[in-house]
Amino acid sequence: GAGVSQSPSNKVTEKGKDVELRCDPISGHTALYWYRQSLGQGLEFLIYFQGNSAPDKSGLPSDRFSAERTGGSVSTLTIQRTQQEDSAVYLCASKKNGGYEQYFGPGTRLTVT
Amino acid sequence: AQTVTQSQPEMSVQEAETVTLSCTYDTSENNYYLFWYKQPPSRQMILVIRQEAYKQQNATENRFSVNFQKAAKSFSLKISDSQLGDTAMYFCAFFNTNAGKSTFGDGTTLTVKP
């Protein structure tokens, strides 16, 4: 079946612009995660959605970052007034209810110039 | 909060040889899962192997096996008969079943040399 997809695969934007990154999880997966990965580094947790529960936003680095998940499926991560330090790969993962393994998308590479 | 430490930023191994990647973690949880993920240059994270904390038997997946020492909070990955396609960054991850979230180590870049 189809895996997790993310779009765009690459995004170049100017400092101060807003960007939206999209994640399509595996159909039927109830949990969805966003991570940020700086060049050659580990994964930094950003936000976690589980079903209809309130999302865990504890990893969002500033109020410029927000995310929503519509209809329990597609999620959008929005970064407002982008800064150069926002440049990174943004990874999305989904997980089925009752499972423990996360399935990752290919990521979006964001470059802020 | 959990922490995951991978003390080897980079490693290399000759093709067909065996290599072990280290991972230690710190937690007060009793129920959790541990994972090793592989991230090749293509960026796609792929699950290599997983270990349930309540199982004493070490997990094995073909050429990949783990040495899980729960008391020592250690979870190393052994790759046998290394292949060029094993070249990638490897991440150790701790999944907190209560919180529903994972904590990842900083990764080990493995290069398999011909």
Side-chain angles (χ1 to χ4, degrees):
Chain A
V4 178
S5 61
Q6 292 185 245
S7 60
S9 57
N10 290 282
K11 175 73 176 178
V12 180
T13 190
E14 292 181 352
K15 177 181 173 181
K17 300 281 189 182
D18 297 351
V19 295
E20 286 189 350
L21 311 180
R22 177 186 169 105
C23 172
D24 281 88
I26 293 173
S27 178
H29 280 196
T30 57
L32 187 148
Y33 305 80
W34 283 99
Y35 296 92
R36 179 168 69 176
Q37 185 179 26
S38 299
L39 184 62
Q41 300 299 311
L43 276 67
E44 175 189 5
F45 167 78
L46 297 177
I47 189 169
Y48 159 45
F49 296 90
Q50 173 60 59
N52 296 320
S53 302
D56 178 342
K57 304 179 182 180
S58 60
L60 295 178
S62 76
D63 58 8
R64 296 187 296 105
F65 288 73
S66 63
E68 58 180 27
R69 188 178 185 192
T70 54
S73 180
V74 172
S75 177
T76 302
L77 177 69
T78 301
I79 308 173
Q80 295 179 312
R81 305 181 301 283
T82 52
Q83 304 295 312
Q84 288 188 329
E85 59 263 30
D86 298 335
S87 295
V89 173
Y90 289 82
L91 292 169
C92 174
S94 70
K95 182 178 73 65
K96 64 182 180 182
N97 193 31
Y100 304 103
E101 176 185 343
Q102 295 176 52
Y103 295 80
F104 284 83
T108 293
R109 181 178 298 280
L110 175 66
T111 303
V112 182
T113 61
Chain B
Q2 287 75 227
T3 58
V4 177
T5 302
Q6 294 180 247
S7 59
Q8 305 149 316
E10 295 182 0
M11 293 192 73
S12 63
V13 63
Q14 291 296 134
E15 195 174 6
E17 297 294 307
T18 296
V19 64
T20 299
L21 308 184
S22 301
C23 173
T24 58
Y25 58 94
D26 190 21
T27 186
S28 57
E29 301 286 335
N30 197 44
N31 293 318
Y32 51 88
Y33 284 71
L34 295 164
F35 299 91
W36 278 98
Y37 286 91
K38 168 185 176 181
Q39 187 180 42
S42 66
R43 223 165 59 197
Q44 182 76 55
M45 292 274 281
I46 304 164
L47 177 69
V48 174
I49 197 165
R50 79 173 196 181
Q51 175 79 42
E52 294 89 337
Y54 61 86
K55 287 189 177 179
Q56 291 185 336
Q57 186 173 2
N58 290 323
T60 299
E61 287 288 342
N62 301 314
R63 298 182 295 108
F64 299 87
S65 61
V66 300
N67 183 3
F68 173 47
Q69 301 291 327
K70 190 172 183 178
K73 295 179 181 171
S74 171
F75 182 61
S76 62
L77 174 69
K78 185 171 83 171
I79 306 174
S80 304
D81 185 26
S82 297
Q83 300 177 0
L84 297 178
D86 295 334
T87 292
M89 197 160 186
Y90 287 80
F91 291 96
C92 178
F94 175 104
F95 182 83
N96 183 330
T97 54
N98 288 329
K101 301 190 299 188
S102 289
T103 302
F104 288 79
D106 287 339
T108 296
T109 299
L110 175 68
T111 302
V112 180
K113 298 180 178 179

